[in-house]
Structure formats: C-alpha cells, structure tokens
Amino acid sequence: MIHQKWETNKTIRELTCVHTDAKKYMVNRALTEGNTYPLKNETDEFYFVIDNTGKIGGYYKEYFKG
C-alpha cells in the first residue's frame, strides 16, 4: 500500500494554489489561495499534497499551478 508512505516520501516539487472555488466540495477548508504545498504524488487527474490539515489530500489539478 504505497499511499501509506506518501507523507514521508521526498517532495516531487512545490505547487501554488491558484483558487479554491470548488463547485462540489469545500476545498477552502484545506487549501489557501496563494499558499505553496509540497507535491507528494500525482495522477492524470489529481495532485496529492500535504494540505493545511497536515495530512495528504488529493485535489484536482485545476486548483494549482506549478
């Protein structure tokens, strides 16, 4: 189960949150616009970053630039 080690893996790169205007979910509780987050893993659709809660969260790529 590779996802259990993501928090301790090296950071791939840093991403900056560009917006938190989510249509369906409350993203603004876990991300802050303008903050930089360490990227731990990514898929075709999602970035997995350590968010404001201090845990790994998966978010659509549209929320970030980097």
Side-chain angles (χ1 to χ4, degrees):
M1 294 188 267
I2 193 169
H3 67 281
Q4 293 179 338
K5 298 180 187 176
W6 283 351
E7 288 184 18
T8 58
N9 282 355
K10 68 176 187 164
T11 299
I12 298 170
R13 65 180 183 271
E14 298 285 325
L15 298 173
T16 302
C17 180
V18 292
H19 75 85
T20 59
D21 301 326
K23 295 174 187 151
K24 194 173 185 179
Y25 304 103
M26 299 187 86
V27 177
N28 61 352
R29 290 183 178 179
L31 297 175
T32 304
E33 188 175 332
N35 279 7
T36 303
Y37 297 94
L39 175 65
K40 296 298 185 171
N41 194 18
E42 71 178 288
T43 63
D44 292 337
E45 194 173 0
F46 297 100
Y47 285 134
F48 294 90
V49 299
I50 297 180
D51 59 22
N52 294 343
T53 65
K55 297 181 180 180
I56 294 286
Y59 301 95
Y60 287 115
K61 290 184 174 184
E62 69 183 64
Y63 301 120
F64 299 96
K65 77 170 185 178

